[in-house]
Amino acid sequence: MLKPESRYVLWTRYTDGQQVHETMFKITSHQENEKQNHNITSNLLQWLSSKRQEIICVGQDVKKRETLCTSWWECKLAQTLWKTVTQKSTIHDVKQKFHKACPKWYPSRVGLQLERGGPFLKDYITIQSVASSSIVTLYFTDLGQQVSWTTVFLAEYTGPLLIYLLFYLRIPYIYDMKESSRRLRHPVVHLACFCHCIHYIRYLLETLFVHKVSTGHTPLKNLIKSCAFYWGFTSWIAYYINHPWYTPPSFGNRQVIVSAINFLICEAGNHFINVVLAHPNHTGNNACFPSPNYNPFTWMFFLVSCPNYTYEIGSWISFTVMTQTLPVGIFTLLMSIQMSLWAQKKHKIYLKKFSSYMHRKSAMIPFIL
């Protein structure tokens, strides 16, 4: 355990051509090593001044000047942080100080690890909790451009909503106008548009007002991949369902009505499960296992640990049966595979934390998966 009067000196060491940079926090006693701390400060200031002078004298030698600028920045960073990183400082505080010393690396772009290739430290972790000795070595990785999770979800869900409506309106750049005006739409086309819009409007409203969206960030490439997946499949699905030559389901109105009712039931169940999961008792590090309440839609918790995924898959299966189109079926299959992986991962976490609540529960599909 660190002494209350301990303080930390931050130092950086770079290797050319690598993204990972070593960062060392040296812990010294404030009372016993005051002279040593003073010497560190003096040496840093002297080195900083000498590097500034060398940079001025380099002139047009660009390569050497860049090397000296890097060294000068390292010294500047160490000088800026050595007095301000305390044992109570969190990883987020360290990231903030990095950003202050070098604006290029904003906090969400900085990843700190205890060992190369290890997991990134959470922002709420304190320096004291990871300091097992007088030296703490962290590894810094530039995570690249980052975007917030809220931005990712809003982009994922707004795109499909608008794209589907463009195909539903049958704009002339997509379908032949003569065919569109000559052939009447089957009622299932209007119902499919209504259900699709309800689904993504619910997503958007829950993102804004229900979900406790993580304050963390994700690489920009993940936003691009997610949008490409959702937007691309929506275009394919909407093109077939709203096409003038679209054929209605084989079993007629009975198939459409039963599927539509089941779709709305699953959408309602998904919403009520998300409301339960957003409760403060079910979020954070001290969360308890979600339990069903008086709402019948929440009774699915008796059978599975991730009923939100159960209802989500139920919605897309219903939409597939209602529209009877291949693109919807492929999308449902891919989403089922992905959600089963998410459900199994979350189920394992629940097993570790709430083993007494997980007796005979499945992850997503009752008694099967």
Side-chain angles (χ1 to χ4, degrees), residues 63-113:
K63 184 175 181 180
K64 185 177 181 182
R65 182 170 58 189
E66 289 178 352
T67 302
L68 292 175
C69 283
T70 302
S71 300
W72 173 79
W73 180 82
E74 291 177 6
C75 183
K76 177 184 176 183
L77 180 63
Q79 179 202 7
T80 303
L81 302 185
W82 83 279
K83 285 185 177 181
T84 55
V85 179
T86 66
Q87 62 180 0
K88 295 183 179 180
S89 296
T90 62
I91 295 298
H92 181 70
D93 295 333
V94 176
K95 292 180 179 181
Q96 291 284 3
K97 299 178 195 309
F98 260 96
H99 178 55
K100 185 176 180 180
C102 185
K104 173 186 175 182
W105 288 323
Y106 46 89
S108 62
R109 187 168 181 162
V110 174
L112 296 178
Q113 304 158 290

XYZ file of all heavy atoms in Angstrom, residues 63-113:
431
model
N 15.203 16.810 -40.050
C 15.154 15.520 -39.374
C 15.637 15.634 -37.938
O 15.009 15.147 -37.000
C 16.001 14.512 -40.133
C 15.923 13.114 -39.556
C 16.693 12.133 -40.415
C 16.593 10.720 -39.831
N 17.347 9.748 -40.649
N 16.759 16.324 -37.747
C 17.297 16.487 -36.404
C 16.390 17.360 -35.569
O 16.178 17.128 -34.388
C 18.692 17.091 -36.479
C 19.379 17.189 -35.116
C 20.786 17.717 -35.275
C 21.464 17.791 -33.893
N 22.819 18.356 -33.989
N 15.787 18.373 -36.190
C 14.908 19.268 -35.460
C 13.682 18.521 -34.948
O 13.231 18.725 -33.829
C 14.474 20.426 -36.361
C 13.582 21.430 -35.653
C 13.383 22.677 -36.487
N 12.814 22.365 -37.777
C 12.688 23.252 -38.766
N 13.141 24.468 -38.604
N 12.151 22.898 -39.906
N 13.133 17.590 -35.784
C 11.986 16.819 -35.330
C 12.352 15.937 -34.144
O 11.579 15.793 -33.198
C 11.460 15.961 -36.481
C 10.777 16.773 -37.574
C 10.315 15.904 -38.716
O 10.676 14.698 -38.714
O 9.609 16.399 -39.596
N 13.533 15.342 -34.160
C 13.968 14.514 -33.043
C 14.087 15.331 -31.770
O 13.637 14.921 -30.700
C 15.320 13.866 -33.368
O 15.199 13.101 -34.564
C 15.774 12.961 -32.220
N 14.660 16.520 -31.884
C 14.821 17.371 -30.720
C 13.480 17.884 -30.224
O 13.269 18.026 -29.024
C 15.744 18.540 -31.058
C 17.208 18.155 -31.311
C 17.989 19.381 -31.743
C 17.829 17.543 -30.065
N 12.550 18.160 -31.150
C 11.213 18.595 -30.743
C 10.520 17.506 -29.934
O 9.848 17.770 -28.943
C 10.379 18.950 -31.976
S 10.785 20.552 -32.695
N 10.700 16.239 -30.343
C 10.120 15.140 -29.584
C 10.716 15.074 -28.194
O 10.011 14.918 -27.202
C 10.357 13.811 -30.327
O 9.773 13.885 -31.626
C 9.735 12.647 -29.562
N 12.030 15.220 -28.102
C 12.685 15.192 -26.800
C 12.234 16.359 -25.936
O 11.996 16.213 -24.737
C 14.207 15.242 -26.976
O 14.655 14.149 -27.734
N 12.097 17.529 -26.547
C 11.648 18.704 -25.806
C 10.231 18.490 -25.273
O 9.918 18.822 -24.153
C 11.697 19.928 -26.721
C 11.106 21.160 -26.105
C 11.688 21.996 -25.206
C 9.798 21.685 -26.350
N 10.825 23.012 -24.872
C 9.657 22.852 -25.554
C 8.744 21.299 -27.157
C 8.510 23.617 -25.564
C 7.605 22.062 -27.160
C 7.492 23.201 -26.364
N 9.381 17.863 -26.106
C 8.012 17.612 -25.658
C 7.999 16.626 -24.504
O 7.230 16.767 -23.566
C 7.170 17.070 -26.821
C 5.758 16.810 -26.400
C 4.738 17.701 -26.306
C 5.239 15.565 -25.940
N 3.606 17.090 -25.835
C 3.883 15.778 -25.602
C 5.775 14.295 -25.778
C 3.068 14.768 -25.131
C 4.962 13.283 -25.312
C 3.627 13.529 -24.992
N 8.849 15.572 -24.577
C 8.916 14.611 -23.485
C 9.264 15.306 -22.174
O 8.672 15.043 -21.139
C 9.965 13.540 -23.789
C 9.577 12.605 -24.920
C 10.680 11.617 -25.225
O 11.674 11.606 -24.480
O 10.546 10.853 -26.189
N 10.255 16.201 -22.256
C 10.666 16.908 -21.053
C 9.555 17.824 -20.558
O 9.288 17.903 -19.364
C 11.936 17.697 -21.332
S 12.586 18.540 -19.897
N 8.888 18.486 -21.499
C 7.795 19.382 -21.124
C 6.676 18.598 -20.444
O 6.104 19.029 -19.446
C 7.256 20.076 -22.379
C 6.061 20.990 -22.105
C 5.533 21.569 -23.408
C 4.282 22.395 -23.149
N 3.692 22.914 -24.399
N 6.366 17.394 -20.979
C 5.320 16.571 -20.408
C 5.672 16.148 -18.987
O 4.859 16.229 -18.078
C 5.093 15.340 -21.280
C 4.011 14.360 -20.830
C 2.656 15.048 -20.838
C 3.999 13.136 -21.720
N 6.915 15.703 -18.799
C 7.330 15.282 -17.470
C 7.292 16.443 -16.494
O 6.865 16.304 -15.349
C 8.742 14.699 -17.536
N 7.727 17.626 -16.952
C 7.732 18.805 -16.075
C 6.303 19.183 -15.690
O 6.033 19.563 -14.549
C 8.409 19.973 -16.782
C 8.428 21.236 -15.926
C 8.580 22.471 -16.783
O 8.548 22.391 -17.996
N 8.711 23.610 -16.155
N 5.365 19.049 -16.639
C 3.979 19.458 -16.389
C 3.279 18.525 -15.400
O 2.499 18.964 -14.561
C 3.193 19.462 -17.717
O 3.852 20.330 -18.621
C 1.765 19.935 -17.503
N 3.586 17.225 -15.467
C 2.796 16.257 -14.724
C 3.407 15.780 -13.420
O 2.703 15.206 -12.601
C 2.534 15.026 -15.615
C 1.812 15.282 -16.931
C 1.538 13.966 -17.615
C 0.523 16.035 -16.710
N 4.688 15.989 -13.228
C 5.321 15.299 -12.110
C 4.784 15.705 -10.751
O 4.781 14.936 -9.809
C 6.844 15.470 -12.171
C 7.349 16.748 -11.580
C 7.371 17.965 -12.163
C 7.925 16.920 -10.279
N 7.900 18.891 -11.331
C 8.260 18.273 -10.153
C 8.184 16.065 -9.210
C 8.831 18.798 -9.003
C 8.762 16.581 -8.069
C 9.074 17.928 -7.982
N 4.278 16.924 -10.629
C 3.743 17.374 -9.338
C 2.244 17.119 -9.186
O 1.708 17.226 -8.104
C 4.000 18.870 -9.159
C 5.440 19.227 -8.826
C 5.552 20.718 -8.547
C 6.970 21.099 -8.148
N 7.095 22.534 -7.860
N 1.568 16.799 -10.281
C 0.105 16.784 -10.247
C -0.494 15.384 -10.259
O -1.691 15.247 -10.096
C -0.457 17.570 -11.439
O 0.088 17.026 -12.645
C -0.105 19.036 -11.338
N 0.283 14.345 -10.507
C -0.235 12.987 -10.473
C -0.054 12.428 -9.075
O 1.055 12.146 -8.648
C 0.489 12.092 -11.503
C -0.044 10.675 -11.433
C 0.322 12.658 -12.892
N -1.136 12.285 -8.334
C -1.078 11.808 -6.953
C -1.616 10.384 -6.875
O -2.110 9.835 -7.863
C -1.904 12.716 -6.038
O -3.286 12.594 -6.386
C -1.473 14.176 -6.189
N -1.547 9.808 -5.689
C -2.014 8.437 -5.518
C -3.518 8.322 -5.704
O -4.031 7.252 -6.016
C -1.626 7.933 -4.139
C -2.246 8.723 -2.986
C -1.816 8.169 -1.646
O -1.064 7.209 -1.603
N -2.289 8.759 -0.572
N -4.244 9.421 -5.531
C -5.693 9.406 -5.713
C -6.107 9.748 -7.138
O -7.297 9.727 -7.457
C -6.353 10.366 -4.728
C -6.192 9.951 -3.268
C -6.924 10.908 -2.343
C -6.776 10.479 -0.884
N -7.476 11.399 0.037
N -5.147 10.096 -7.967
C -5.456 10.414 -9.360
C -5.959 9.161 -10.076
O -5.493 8.054 -9.831
C -4.222 10.951 -10.078
O -3.796 12.170 -9.519
N -6.922 9.344 -10.949
C -7.467 8.238 -11.729
C -6.799 8.185 -13.102
O -6.083 9.104 -13.505
C -8.983 8.392 -11.907
O -9.241 9.608 -12.644
C -9.688 8.451 -10.555
N -7.066 7.104 -13.803
C -6.552 6.975 -15.165
C -7.102 8.100 -16.040
O -6.405 8.629 -16.909
C -6.933 5.604 -15.747
C -6.246 4.483 -14.963
C -6.553 5.510 -17.208
C -4.734 4.522 -15.001
N -8.341 8.486 -15.776
C -8.920 9.600 -16.542
C -8.150 10.890 -16.279
O -7.941 11.691 -17.204
C -10.393 9.776 -16.168
C -11.069 10.881 -16.910
N -11.351 10.829 -18.252
C -11.497 12.111 -16.486
C -11.926 11.949 -18.625
N -12.031 12.744 -17.589
N -7.716 11.115 -15.038
C -6.920 12.301 -14.720
C -5.616 12.298 -15.508
O -5.178 13.340 -16.021
C -6.617 12.361 -13.222
C -7.874 12.542 -12.384
O -8.843 13.119 -12.913
O -7.889 12.096 -11.221
N -4.992 11.129 -15.593
C -3.743 11.025 -16.348
C -3.977 11.351 -17.819
O -3.199 12.064 -18.448
C -3.145 9.614 -16.189
C -1.890 9.466 -17.051
C -2.813 9.339 -14.732
N -5.078 10.844 -18.360
C -5.399 11.127 -19.764
C -5.646 12.618 -19.985
O -5.256 13.181 -21.010
C -6.625 10.320 -20.188
C -6.384 8.818 -20.249
C -7.655 8.090 -20.674
C -7.430 6.592 -20.754
N -8.651 5.866 -21.194
N -6.303 13.243 -19.018
C -6.548 14.677 -19.124
C -5.230 15.453 -19.147
O -5.079 16.431 -19.880
C -7.412 15.145 -17.951
C -8.838 14.644 -17.974
C -9.704 15.394 -18.992
O -9.226 16.248 -19.718
N -10.990 15.071 -19.020
N -4.272 15.007 -18.356
C -2.974 15.688 -18.310
C -2.186 15.445 -19.597
O -1.462 16.329 -20.067
C -2.201 15.216 -17.082
C -2.914 15.525 -15.761
C -2.164 15.007 -14.574
C -3.049 15.003 -13.319
N -3.713 16.269 -13.076
N -2.324 14.258 -20.158
C -1.733 14.007 -21.465
C -2.292 14.994 -22.491
O -1.559 15.579 -23.289
C -2.065 12.582 -21.918
C -0.956 11.598 -21.702
C -0.927 10.797 -20.580
C 0.061 11.472 -22.630
C 0.083 9.884 -20.379
C 1.082 10.559 -22.437
C 1.091 9.764 -21.306
N -3.606 15.136 -22.452
C -4.261 16.026 -23.417
C -3.817 17.477 -23.220
O -3.645 18.218 -24.195
C -5.777 15.914 -23.257
C -6.554 16.820 -24.166
N -6.394 16.833 -25.532
C -7.499 17.758 -23.894
C -7.201 17.730 -26.062
N -7.873 18.305 -25.094
N -3.642 17.872 -21.972
C -3.201 19.236 -21.693
C -1.792 19.475 -22.218
O -1.480 20.541 -22.741
C -3.261 19.494 -20.189
C -2.937 20.928 -19.800
C -3.106 21.133 -18.303
C -2.788 22.579 -17.910
N -2.942 22.792 -16.452
N -0.927 18.462 -22.084
C 0.446 18.606 -22.553
C 0.549 18.473 -24.067
O 1.397 19.091 -24.695
C 1.340 17.564 -21.880
N -0.322 17.667 -24.637
C -0.304 17.479 -26.096
C -1.739 17.358 -26.590
O -2.349 16.293 -26.495
C 0.495 16.222 -26.454
S 0.702 15.994 -28.237
N -2.334 18.439 -27.092
C -3.747 18.461 -27.487
C -4.116 17.423 -28.548
O -5.287 17.089 -28.696
C -3.929 19.887 -28.030
C -2.860 20.685 -27.361
C -1.695 19.762 -27.216
N -3.129 16.906 -29.279
C -3.426 15.915 -30.314
C -4.077 14.678 -29.718
O -4.942 14.055 -30.339
C -2.134 15.533 -31.035
C -2.286 14.385 -32.018
C -0.944 13.965 -32.588
C -1.093 12.745 -33.473
N 0.206 12.278 -33.999
N -3.658 14.298 -28.530
C -4.156 13.084 -27.892
C -5.230 13.442 -26.868
O -4.936 13.628 -25.696
C -3.019 12.309 -27.228
C -2.115 11.658 -28.223
C -2.473 11.076 -29.399
C -0.693 11.532 -28.138
N -1.374 10.592 -30.053
C -0.257 10.852 -29.301
C 0.259 11.909 -27.197
C 1.070 10.552 -29.549
C 1.582 11.615 -27.441
C 1.977 10.941 -28.601
N -6.465 13.549 -27.317
C -7.555 13.824 -26.388
C -7.848 12.550 -25.594
O -7.512 11.432 -26.030
C -8.795 14.328 -27.125
C -9.182 13.569 -28.357
C -10.041 12.477 -28.294
C -8.698 13.946 -29.613
C -10.410 11.785 -29.421
C -9.055 13.246 -30.753
C -9.905 12.175 -30.653
O -10.265 11.476 -31.782
N -8.459 12.672 -24.408
C -8.570 11.534 -23.479
C -9.138 10.255 -24.084
O -8.653 9.168 -23.793
C -9.474 12.077 -22.372
C -9.206 13.539 -22.365
C -8.979 13.923 -23.801
N -10.173 10.363 -24.891
C -10.784 9.147 -25.438
C -9.879 8.449 -26.443
O -10.103 7.285 -26.785
C -12.121 9.486 -26.101
O -11.923 10.384 -27.180
N -8.851 9.137 -26.909
C -7.928 8.554 -27.884
C -6.766 7.834 -27.208
O -6.012 7.100 -27.848
C -7.405 9.660 -28.805
C -6.562 9.168 -29.958
C -6.325 10.254 -30.971
N -5.527 9.776 -32.084
C -5.440 10.370 -33.269
N -6.106 11.488 -33.473
N -4.686 9.873 -34.224
N -6.602 8.039 -25.911
C -5.479 7.484 -25.165
C -5.877 6.166 -24.521
O -6.885 6.084 -23.820
C -4.998 8.475 -24.081
C -3.923 7.839 -23.219
C -4.478 9.750 -24.724
N -5.087 5.118 -24.746
C -5.279 3.836 -24.087
C -4.081 3.514 -23.211
O -2.940 3.572 -23.679
N -4.317 3.218 -21.940
C -3.243 2.907 -20.997
C -3.375 1.457 -20.534
O -4.471 1.013 -20.183
C -3.287 3.850 -19.793
C -3.028 5.331 -20.096
C -3.156 6.163 -18.832
C -1.649 5.530 -20.710
N -2.245 0.736 -20.542
C -2.217 -0.669 -20.153
C -1.110 -0.903 -19.127
O -0.094 -0.194 -19.122
C -1.952 -1.548 -21.375
C -2.950 -1.357 -22.512
C -2.381 -1.816 -23.840
O -1.486 -1.192 -24.398
N -2.907 -2.921 -24.352
